[in-house]
Amino acid sequence: MRIRIGRDRIFILVFFVSLILVGSFALSIPGMFLDGRLSYVDALFTSTSAVCVTGLITVDTARFSLAGQSVILALIQAGGLGIITLATFFIAIPRRRISIVSRGMISDYAISEVEHQPKTIVKAIVKYTLVFEAIGALIYYLRFSSSVPRPGFVSVFHAVSAFCNAGFSTFTTSLEAYVFDPLVSLNTIWLIVSGGIGFIVIKDVRNFALGKKHRLSTHSSVVLGTSAALILFGTICFLLLEYRGIMRGFTLPQKLLASFFQAATPRTAGFDTLPQASFGQGSRMLTMILMFIGASPASTGGGVKTSTFFILVMTAFRYKEKSEHIAFGGRNIQPSLVFKAVGVVIKGSIIVLTISALILLVESAHGAAIGMAECVFETISAFGTVGLSLGLTSSLHPASKLLIVVTMFVGRVGLFAIALPKTDRDVEGYAGLPSADIMI
């Protein structure tokens, strides 16, 4: 039997490209930007960043009109529902079926429930999204109602942006004015984490809390445990690294809150309560690592995923010589999962290094001197669809901005669609190739 996946893959790419192009044309219309008509490159960049829920910007989001910000909000929501949700919806609903390969592609990210109940999962995702965003918006409104213009819109904008891990803000300095505000900071962290753990995990936790399940699935346990460990580790490290740095003069509770926020926002969120350029080199390196890891599968976030990181850590520390499996929690991690995890990380690393090198070449050719570390930071932020920035992106040459656009698209859509293996030519054989003897 010959299996074709080209049509499904092309459909996903065409949908996201079309959404980005529609958004870019809408944002380039006169009246969308307060400082005159936005250049098409900046409109394309903003649209891609919104659809890919990245948050990197070349122009201040606060300088868009209400209509322009509304377009950005709509693009964030469309992208934030997740490529897995959209792929499931547009493949399962119109055709009333899911192809063999598409079912496998989706189940890799959303566990077996998608295979049997695609419509139910899509409805649940939309419901959970609206509920979380509504609660977040109400909490934001408690703070914004007396301090900012259009508090209702601003509250909804930030709730959607936070839950979708987009990082767009209607404030010029993001959330830096609220660095000491526990209501805004903790609400943002809660939305970031909720959107970043994945809808399957949210449903699993809900069923466990209601007594419908006696235990969480292995996937949910891994995602929750790894996410908590990364945030806790990040909080402690940022606190120690910046105790006498950017947080000098803060009280201990303020330092803990700022460190907690900085540990959570690289999970592909992109908000900041402290300017990233003011952090020390150690904190920047840690931020880049957390951005590259990113959020969890079937979530609104990007990156190589927490489950991928977990599998690689287990492989590094629990793999035993002459063993075909890696044991964890009474389960075996199959070799195929290890291969997938390694492949994702290698592909991601190649993309980041290649784009960084091209940007350095472009900027050097046009007489701009930028640091390699700063360039890699921005590229990882784009690939992981994070949005944290050292302020470099807005000053890049148009060609470099287009490279960042490609990176955001590949980071959000590419590892799912562009980098899929070509299974239509795979042939199952009865004889295997001889083993290769390679020293490690």
Side-chain angles (χ1 to χ4, degrees):
M1 181 177 63
R2 187 179 176 91
I3 302 175
R4 298 180 182 274
I5 65 173
R7 183 178 300 176
D8 293 339
R9 178 164 53 182
I10 291 173
F11 181 84
I12 294 170
L13 291 173
V14 168
F15 174 79
F16 275 89
V17 170
S18 299
L19 187 61
I20 289 170
L21 291 177
V22 169
S24 66
F25 286 123
L27 291 175
S28 62
I29 295 174
M32 291 292 182
F33 195 60
L34 298 177
D35 298 335
R37 186 168 182 172
L38 193 65
S39 71
Y40 185 72
V41 171
D42 288 330
L44 177 64
F45 190 102
T46 303
S47 179
T48 305
S49 185
V51 171
C52 297
V53 290
T54 303
L56 282 175
I57 56 175
T58 55
V59 292
D60 187 0
T61 308
R63 299 306 302 159
F64 281 90
S65 64
L66 178 60
Q69 292 177 351
S70 298
V71 170
I72 293 174
L73 178 61
L75 293 174
I76 291 172
Q77 187 71 91
L81 284 174
I83 185 174
I84 308 305
T85 307
L86 293 173
T88 306
F89 182 83
F90 285 101
I91 292 173
I93 302 303
R95 293 193 246 168
R96 305 295 181 185
R97 65 184 177 84
I98 301 180
S99 68
I100 294 174
V101 174
S102 298
R103 182 184 297 122
M105 288 159 51
I106 294 168
S107 63
D108 279 346
Y109 291 84
I111 313 302
S112 58
E113 292 181 50
V114 173
E115 182 178 352
H116 304 294
Q117 311 172 48
K119 298 179 185 179
T120 302
I121 294 298
V122 170
K123 291 178 181 178
I125 289 173
V126 174
K127 180 182 71 175
Y128 291 145
T129 298
L130 296 178
V131 168
F132 276 90
E133 291 174 351
I135 295 173
L138 288 174
I139 296 175
Y140 277 131
Y141 188 79
L142 296 176
R143 178 64 70 239
F144 297 153
S145 60
S146 59
S147 58
V148 302
R150 301 194 304 267
F153 177 81
V154 171
S155 298
V156 171
F157 188 98
H158 283 84
V160 172
S161 184
F163 183 76
C164 293
N165 281 213
F168 277 88
S169 175
T170 57
F171 305 130
T172 299
T173 57
S174 191
L175 298 179
E176 292 173 17
Y178 300 93
V179 60
F180 302 137
D181 191 320
L183 185 64
V184 172
S185 293
L186 294 179
N187 185 46
T188 304
I189 292 171
W190 168 73
L191 287 169
I192 291 170
V193 173
S194 298
I197 61 175
F199 296 102
I200 299 300
V201 176
I202 292 175
K203 183 178 180 181
D204 200 29
V205 171
R206 174 182 176 275
N207 290 338
F208 177 77
L210 294 177
K212 296 181 180 180
K213 295 185 65 174
H214 297 295
R215 57 177 293 178
L216 295 175
S217 67
T218 303
H219 171 76
S220 297
S221 300
V222 166
V223 166
L224 292 173
T226 305
S227 299
L230 288 171
I231 292 176
L232 178 61
F233 175 76
T235 300
I236 295 173
C237 287
F238 284 123
L239 178 64
L240 296 176
L241 290 168
E242 300 297 336
Y243 196 89
R244 298 185 182 280
I246 191 175
M247 300 180 197
R248 181 184 303 169
F250 293 9
T251 64
L252 182 58
Q254 291 171 343
K255 290 179 179 180
L256 286 171
L257 181 62
S259 299
F260 187 27
F261 193 96
Q262 181 63 24
T265 195
R267 312 305 308 288
T268 83
F271 290 105
D272 62 47
T273 54
L274 292 170
Q276 299 302 304
S278 299
F279 280 95
Q281 296 297 323
S283 296
R284 293 186 188 182
M285 179 177 293
L286 177 58
T287 300
M288 285 192 285
I289 294 172
L290 294 175
M291 289 194 301
F292 189 76
I293 295 172
S296 302
S299 74
T300 59
V304 298
K305 309 303 182 188
T306 54
S307 53
T308 299
F309 174 73
F310 170 82
I311 290 172
L312 293 182
V313 170
M314 289 296 102
T315 302
F317 293 101
R318 293 207 173 188
Y319 174 75
K320 296 180 180 179
E321 199 73 28
K322 297 182 181 180
S323 175
E324 295 183 358
H325 304 285
I326 301 169
F328 167 76
R331 298 285 191 274
N332 281 326
I333 299 176
Q334 300 299 320
S336 59
L337 291 178
V338 178
F339 297 153
K340 288 181 181 179
V342 172
V344 168
V345 171
I346 291 177
K347 289 173 184 176
S349 300
I350 291 174
I351 291 169
V352 168
L353 293 175
T354 301
I355 296 295
S356 297
L358 290 175
I359 291 175
L360 288 172
L361 287 173
V362 170
E363 296 302 311
S364 176
H366 291 86
I370 62 174
M372 181 179 68
E374 289 76 11
C375 181
V376 173
F377 187 101
E378 303 287 314
T379 306
I380 292 177
S381 183
F383 169 78
T385 68
V386 182
L388 293 176
S389 176
L390 299 178
L392 177 65
T393 301
S394 59
S395 62
L396 291 176
H397 186 272
S400 297
K401 291 180 181 179
L402 292 177
L403 287 171
I404 294 292
V405 166
V406 171
T407 307
M408 290 189 290
F409 184 81
V410 171
R412 183 62 177 167
V413 183
L415 291 182
F416 179 80
I418 296 175
L420 284 175
K422 296 181 179 179
T423 58
D424 56 334
R425 295 184 180 179
D426 291 345
V427 178
E428 183 178 355
Y430 294 96
L433 296 173
S435 298
D437 294 327
I438 302 175
M439 296 182 64
I440 300 296

